[in-house]
Amino acid sequence: MHTVEPIVVRSPLGWDPVSPRRVRPWLPAAIVGGFLVVTLAVSSLVTLPYYALAPGSARDVGALIAAEGVQTYPASGEVLLTTITLGKVTALEALIGWARADVDVVSQDELIPPDTSDADYRRFNEEVMDDSKQTAIVVALRRLGYQVNERGDGALVDRVLSQFPSNGRLEPGEVIKKIDGQAVALVQEATALIAARRPGDVLHLEVASPDGSRVRNVDVPLAADPEQGGKAVLGVFLRTANRGFDLPFPVEIRSESIGGPSAGLAFALGVIDQLTEGELTGGRKIAVTGTIEIDGRVGDVGGVPQKTAAVKEAGADVFLVPAGELKAARERAGKGLVVIPVTTLQEALDALASVGGDLAGLSTAQKAAA
C-alpha cells in the first residue's frame, strides 16, 4: 500500500491554505475588519468632485469698516454678516456631510461653471467681493444724502459661457466699448441695452483688447436663457472696467478671507450704522445676508440653511434675508430666531425699525450731507 505525502501549496502572498478544522475563530472578523480599515483609509484620502457647504460664522461688520475725515459713532449693537465654509470633500467626508442636517454636499458641476478651475473660481469670488464692498459703500453713502458719481471704461467680459453663441466670439478680459454704435462706460448701460432686445437679435459690438491696444468689431447673436424665463442674454458675465466712484471721504471695508457678494447688504447697513447717531440695531445682534445692487435692491444668496445655523450659534435673535430665501431660513430657524424677508435696502432699514432700531440718525446725516 502506498502512502501519498500531502501537497502543500504556497500562495503568492506567502501564507499556506488552512483546513477548515484549523481556521482560527477570529480570522474572518479580522479579515473584515482589515478590509474596513483599508476602505476607511482610502475614503479619507481620495478627494471627490463634490463640495460640502457647512455653517461658517456670524461676525460684526463694525470691526471691518473704517471711515476717515468724518464723524463716526460706535454702536453697542451689532450687524452680523453671515458666512458658510466651502471645501472639496473625500468620500468619508461626503458620507458624514450627507448624514448631517446642517451640511449640504453638492457636485462640483452644480457649484462651479463649466471650464472653470478652482483657482479661477476663487479669483472670481474675490473680485465679486471687492465689487460688493464698493457697491455697499456707495449705496450707503447715497442713502445718507451724499453725492457719489460712478465712472468706468466699458463693460469688461469676465467669463464667457460655453452654451451661448458668445463662446468663440468674445474672450474673457475684453472690454465692450460700444453696442450698436452706442458708447458704453458702465456695466448697467450694457445690460440695459441688452435687456431691450429679444433672443435672436444680433448685437454689433465694438470690443477692445485688455490693454486697449487693439479694437475690433464683432456681431454676437443674443440667446434665450431658460433659467431666466427665456430672457435675451449675451451669455457672458460682465462688470464695469476700471470701475470707480468719487467718494466724499475715504471708506474702507476689510473682507479678510471672505469671498462672494452675499455680505453686500450687511456692509451697507454697517456703513450707515457707523455714520449715524443712535442705535440702528436697537442695541441687538442683527444677522444679515443678501447681495446689494447699486440701486439698493437686495438679491438672493446661497447657503442660507448653513448661515441660519451660524446665526443661531452666534446668539442673534433677528435675521434679515432676501425675500426669495425666506422659506429656507425659517425651516432652519426654529424658535427664538425671527426671520424677516427684505428686497431693498429701505425694507431692511424698515425691518430694523420694526424691532427697535433707531433711524432718526439718517435724517440728521442727510442734512449734514446736503
Side-chain angles (χ1 to χ4, degrees):
M1 184 174 179
H2 295 82
T3 59
V4 179
E5 293 292 331
I7 299 175
V8 177
V9 180
R10 296 284 181 183
S11 82
L13 299 179
W15 53 272
D16 298 335
V18 181
S19 69
R21 290 172 298 181
R22 297 180 59 194
V23 172
R24 280 79 168 172
W26 48 264
L27 188 58
I31 292 172
V32 173
F35 176 76
L36 290 175
V37 169
V38 172
T39 300
L40 288 172
V42 171
S43 66
S44 65
L45 296 174
V46 178
T47 302
L48 301 177
Y50 283 82
Y51 282 80
L53 283 71
S57 62
R59 65 181 74 177
D60 180 20
V61 300
L64 305 176
I65 299 170
E68 299 178 11
V70 66
Q71 177 69 50
T72 58
Y73 304 89
S76 61
E78 297 178 1
V79 175
L80 305 178
L81 70 84
T82 58
T83 69
I84 62 170
T85 60
L86 175 69
K88 275 189 172 180
V89 293
T90 64
L92 180 59
E93 290 168 336
L95 290 173
I96 294 173
W98 277 316
R100 288 181 54 180
D102 60 351
V103 176
D104 287 333
V105 179
V106 299
S107 71
Q108 181 173 308
D109 292 340
E110 292 180 66
L111 188 66
I112 300 179
D115 306 321
T116 302
S117 67
D118 288 347
D120 287 341
Y121 185 63
R122 285 193 297 272
R123 178 185 61 83
F124 172 73
N125 275 288
E126 290 169 359
E127 290 174 350
V128 295
M129 166 54 83
D130 289 340
D131 284 345
S132 176
K133 291 189 295 185
Q134 192 173 54
T135 300
I137 293 169
V138 172
V139 170
L141 292 180
R142 286 177 175 172
R143 178 62 182 81
L144 293 176
Y146 292 98
Q147 179 71 35
V148 183
N149 296 322
E150 182 178 2
R151 43 189 161 74
D153 293 330
L156 175 68
V157 178
D158 206 29
R159 290 209 315 268
V160 181
L161 302 181
S162 59
Q163 68 269 36
F164 294 103
S166 55
N167 186 34
R169 292 179 170 88
L170 296 174
E171 297 293 333
E174 291 186 313
V175 179
I176 299 173
K177 293 290 191 177
K178 292 183 179 180
I179 297 178
D180 291 336
Q182 187 166 337
V184 170
L186 308 174
V187 68
Q188 54 264 37
E189 295 172 349
T191 55
L193 290 171
I194 295 169
R197 306 297 291 273
R198 297 180 179 179
D201 289 348
V202 177
L203 297 185
H204 181 71
L205 308 179
E206 183 181 294
V207 182
S209 58
D211 60 2
S213 62
R214 182 174 61 89
V215 176
R216 67 187 181 94
N217 293 297
V218 58
D219 291 333
V220 182
L222 294 179
D225 186 354
E227 295 185 2
Q228 299 187 59
K231 175 184 175 182
V233 295
L234 190 58
V236 298
F237 283 93
L238 297 173
R239 57 188 175 90
T240 298
N242 300 320
R243 185 191 193 198
F245 294 90
D246 300 319
L247 301 181
F249 45 81
V251 181
E252 180 186 4
I253 299 176
R254 292 183 294 105
S255 52
E256 298 179 340
S257 60
I258 305 169
S262 65
L265 176 59
F267 286 145
L269 292 173
V271 171
I272 291 173
D273 196 21
Q274 192 165 122
L275 296 178
T276 56
E277 295 184 76
E279 290 288 342
L280 191 64
T281 64
R284 307 167 74 171
K285 282 186 176 182
I286 308 291
V288 180
T289 191
T291 65
I292 193 75
E293 300 295 333
I294 201 69
D295 61 0
R297 286 179 295 118
V298 173
D300 289 354
V301 296
V304 168
Q306 290 73 36
K307 291 176 181 178
T308 306
V311 167
K312 294 175 67 177
E313 180 67 23
D317 52 8
V318 177
F319 190 18
L320 306 188
V321 302
E325 294 173 307
L326 174 64
K327 181 180 178 182
R330 282 186 173 167
E331 286 177 348
R332 296 295 180 90
K335 296 181 179 179
L337 178 61
V338 177
V339 181
I340 303 177
V342 297
T343 63
T344 65
L345 173 65
Q346 186 56 52
E347 285 187 8
L349 291 169
D350 292 340
L352 293 179
S354 72
V355 295
D358 181 6
L359 271 60
L362 272 73
S363 298
T364 303
Q366 286 176 330
K367 292 178 181 178

